[in-house]
Amino acid sequence: VASLSSEANNIPAFSQRSILVGDEFALAYHPAYHNQIKQRTIDLLQAQYSPDLKDTQSFIRQYNVDYLLLDNNAFTAQYLLNKNWLINSSWTDQTQQAIAQLKSKHPPALIKIMPSCLAVSTDTLKLLKSSCLLEK
């Protein structure tokens, strides 16, 4: 499961699924581990906020992602600004690029596709099936 949501930290314990990255795991001290977390986070930011669905599809294939978990407010600049682990990190530049993308005239591709690929939706979260995203 790929997600920038803090809720992703609960997924391994409660669903027996792994996550690509999580804010609780982002404070990596070992250089090799840090580099891997950094690359995964950058790739996820680019995939989630890209206006081109092909970027998202490429990310899904690269990491073999089954689901994308999104907070309902994930497509607002304030959402990213409130995530200290994204703003105060070595991938701050990429987070700022995602914020700029949200403020541009070209919305992320996931916004349009999201309704047709929903696996589950709650008041605060949306779970998207990656297989559906690959078919678009």
Side-chain angles (χ1 to χ4, degrees):
V1 178
S3 182
L4 297 173
S5 174
S6 295
E7 197 63 39
N9 297 317
N10 297 319
I11 290 173
F14 294 109
S15 72
Q16 305 291 316
R17 286 188 168 273
S18 61
I19 60 173
L20 186 69
V21 67
D23 60 354
E24 288 184 1
F25 308 101
L27 299 173
Y29 295 105
H30 191 279
Y33 179 72
H34 173 78
N35 291 338
Q36 187 177 29
I37 294 298
K38 178 180 179 179
Q39 190 60 55
R40 288 177 177 194
T41 304
I42 290 169
D43 292 346
L44 177 55
L45 280 165
Q46 291 170 341
Q48 185 167 316
Y49 295 103
S50 174
D52 187 352
L53 187 59
K54 290 179 183 176
D55 294 335
T56 308
Q57 293 167 332
S58 175
F59 166 82
I60 289 167
R61 287 184 191 98
Q62 178 182 352
Y63 289 103
N64 198 26
V65 172
D66 294 323
Y67 296 96
L68 289 174
L69 180 66
L70 303 170
D71 286 309
N72 283 346
N73 61 345
F75 295 109
T76 65
Q78 196 59 44
Y79 174 79
L80 292 172
L81 289 169
N82 288 339
K83 297 212 167 279
N84 287 331
W85 74 281
L86 294 176
I87 293 295
N88 302 317
S89 65
S90 59
W91 48 84
T92 300
D93 291 344
Q94 289 80 8
T95 304
Q96 292 296 338
Q97 288 173 3
I99 291 168
Q101 178 60 44
L102 287 169
K103 293 178 179 180
S104 77
K105 294 180 180 179
H106 305 287
L110 283 178
I111 291 175
K112 284 194 270 185
I113 304 296
M114 200 173 359
S116 62
C117 290
L118 276 178
V120 178
S121 180
T122 70
D123 292 341
T124 58
L125 298 165
K126 293 186 183 339
L127 185 68
L128 306 180
K129 281 185 102 167
S130 297
S131 59
C132 174
L133 295 170
L134 291 173
E135 293 171 0
K136 299 294 178 182

